[in-house]
Amino acid sequence: MKNGKLIRYVAIAAVLLLGVYCSAASAISGETGKDYPNARFLATAQWLKSQKDDASLVIVDVRAEKDFAGKLIPGAIRMPWEQFQYDDTAGNMGEVFVGIARAQQLLGEHGIARNDTVVLYDSVKRDGGATSSYIFWVLDLLGHKNMKVLERGIDGWIDAGGATVPTARKPEPVLYQAPSAEINLRKWVKAEYLLPRLGDPYYQILDVRSREEYLGEKPNTALDGTVLRLGHVPTATNNDYTLNWTTPDSKAIKPYKALQKLYSGLDPGRAVITYCHSGRRGSFGYFVLRLMGFEDAMLYEPSWMEWGNKRYYYPVETAENVLTGDSLPGATSTSAAFDRQGKTTRKSGAAATSGGDRGSKSGYVSCGG
């Protein structure tokens, strides 16, 4: 009888301890409940509520001034993401990263210290994480250890019953200085790095623009409004950044298993370089890859603003490249293989319009300016 009671008490204690452990694990992972390999990069409103007394936590509203609706999470500072980009008038490129030195200066001016846990948020209506992710990329580039994107931003916070305030916290400036050994310049890809690696099997290139942009059916424009060349970086595959959301309205990030299927064929053991038109959408693709456990993720930040600029001579193609194979990121499988012939669905004449007067049957476009 006594032994039976003792066993029951031990069992109850074990269950209680397990509950405490699970609760702690959920808090550490940000309570996303979606089993991402790098769940620590994604926060929920529930997790953020539980951290209100954490002095090392810095909540950052990164919405652009035109998208700021006057409601903030209590204690948040304002640091519009657009401060981290500038217009390169000489290169006819808009929205280009300000660089390592200026980025650190901006972080320090906004009271962000090297050891802070930084929670970044934007809004569902405009961004859905696609500007928070840009600052996430900046911090990752600088080797910052603790940063998160708040899923669904201010909307997720309000929907979870979170209170809002009309004014931002005014931070005291600090010195933000990343040790040079911790700055990972590899994450900041430029054209001169990308060009000689187009045929290197270690590098996978991911275009996160719309399918129409990728195939050369929808033009982008340079800073002065002139139309950029049509098409994509040779060998690049396409995965529209909006496909990472469960629905276009909620803009919650898909569970890990759904993302595995979406990115089927990408090899997490190799580098993946993302790009878009000006770096914003590309940074969201970068963030999702990091969330999924891709360690050698890289962002071609100047993106199509540079590569498609007619004053340069970078090669362009319009044929679709398709990832084949059944490998899933995070699963043990064979590496991805490219179908180089692909399927080209470009409209008639798109190749000639894109970059020259010659286009091959495979959809390749000459690199003439």
Side-chain angles (χ1 to χ4, degrees), residues 170-217:
K170 299 296 183 182
E172 290 291 330
V174 299
L175 175 65
Y176 188 101
Q177 186 168 1
S180 59
E182 295 180 14
I183 298 174
N184 192 349
L185 291 175
R186 181 177 175 79
K187 294 182 176 297
W188 181 17
V189 173
K190 300 179 182 179
E192 57 265 31
Y193 181 91
L194 179 58
L195 182 62
R197 288 167 176 80
L198 293 183
D200 189 329
Y202 178 74
Y203 293 88
Q204 303 162 102
I205 305 172
L206 184 64
D207 185 321
V208 306
R209 296 176 301 166
S210 68
R211 181 174 175 79
E212 291 76 18
E213 291 170 282
Y214 172 78
L215 294 175
E217 298 173 353

Side-chain angles (χ1 to χ4, degrees), residues 127-131 133-134 149 208 241-242 244-245 251 253 263 274 279-289 299:
D127 303 306
T131 49
S133 61
Y134 190 86
V149 168
V208 306
Y241 85 111
T242 63
N244 293 295
W245 297 323
K251 294 184 180 176
I253 297 177
Y263 291 93
T274 66
R280 183 182 70 90
R281 291 175 288 175
S283 73
F284 190 64
Y286 173 92
F287 169 71
V288 171
L289 291 175
L299 175 65

Side-chain angles (χ1 to χ4, degrees), residues 148-163:
K148 302 174 185 287
V149 168
L150 180 62
E151 187 171 30
R152 302 189 66 246
I154 186 70
D155 304 271
W157 174 260
I158 293 173
D159 290 348

Side-chain angles (χ1 to χ4, degrees), residues 143-347:
H144 198 93
K145 302 302 181 186
N146 300 308
M147 63 280 191
K148 302 174 185 287
V149 168
L150 180 62
E151 187 171 30
R152 302 189 66 246
I154 186 70
D155 304 271
W157 174 260
I158 293 173
D159 290 348
T164 60
V165 294
T167 56
R169 176 174 66 84
K170 299 296 183 182
E172 290 291 330
V174 299
L175 175 65
Y176 188 101
Q177 186 168 1
S180 59
E182 295 180 14
I183 298 174
N184 192 349
L185 291 175
R186 181 177 175 79
K187 294 182 176 297
W188 181 17
V189 173
K190 300 179 182 179
E192 57 265 31
Y193 181 91
L194 179 58
L195 182 62
R197 288 167 176 80
L198 293 183
D200 189 329
Y202 178 74
Y203 293 88
Q204 303 162 102
I205 305 172
L206 184 64
D207 185 321
V208 306
R209 296 176 301 166
S210 68
R211 181 174 175 79
E212 291 76 18
E213 291 170 282
Y214 172 78
L215 294 175
E217 298 173 353
K218 180 181 178 180
N220 292 129
T221 56
L223 180 61
D224 64 1
T226 57
V227 175
L228 299 172
R229 298 163 65 197
L230 301 174
H232 54 265
V233 175
T235 77
T237 56
N238 178 234
N239 212 336
D240 189 327
Y241 85 111
T242 63
L243 297 176
N244 293 295
W245 297 323
T246 53
T247 68
D249 294 327
S250 74
K251 294 184 180 176
I253 297 177
K254 287 179 176 177
Y256 180 49
K257 288 185 178 179
L259 291 178
Q260 280 186 303
K261 293 181 180 179
L262 181 62
Y263 291 93
S264 177
L266 279 185
D267 185 350
R270 297 191 285 148
V272 184
I273 301 173
T274 66
Y275 76 91
C276 58
H277 174 223
S278 61
R280 183 182 70 90
R281 291 175 288 175
S283 73
F284 190 64
Y286 173 92
F287 169 71
V288 171
L289 291 175
R290 294 288 284 121
L291 187 64
M292 294 174 67
F294 283 77
E295 294 303 321
D296 201 5
M298 309 158 78
L299 175 65
Y300 174 36
E301 198 275 339
S303 289
W304 205 249
M305 272 280 188
E306 179 180 52
W307 197 273
N309 198 311
K310 292 181 179 178
R311 67 175 59 187
Y312 305 122
Y313 297 90
Y314 300 121
V316 173
E317 68 178 3
T318 54
E320 182 180 11
N321 296 305
V322 180
L323 277 170
T324 60
D326 57 358
S327 62
L328 296 176
T332 301
S333 58
T334 56
S335 295
F338 286 102
D339 175 2
R340 293 299 183 194
Q341 295 301 316
K343 294 180 180 179
T344 179
T345 57
R346 67 180 184 275
K347 293 181 180 179

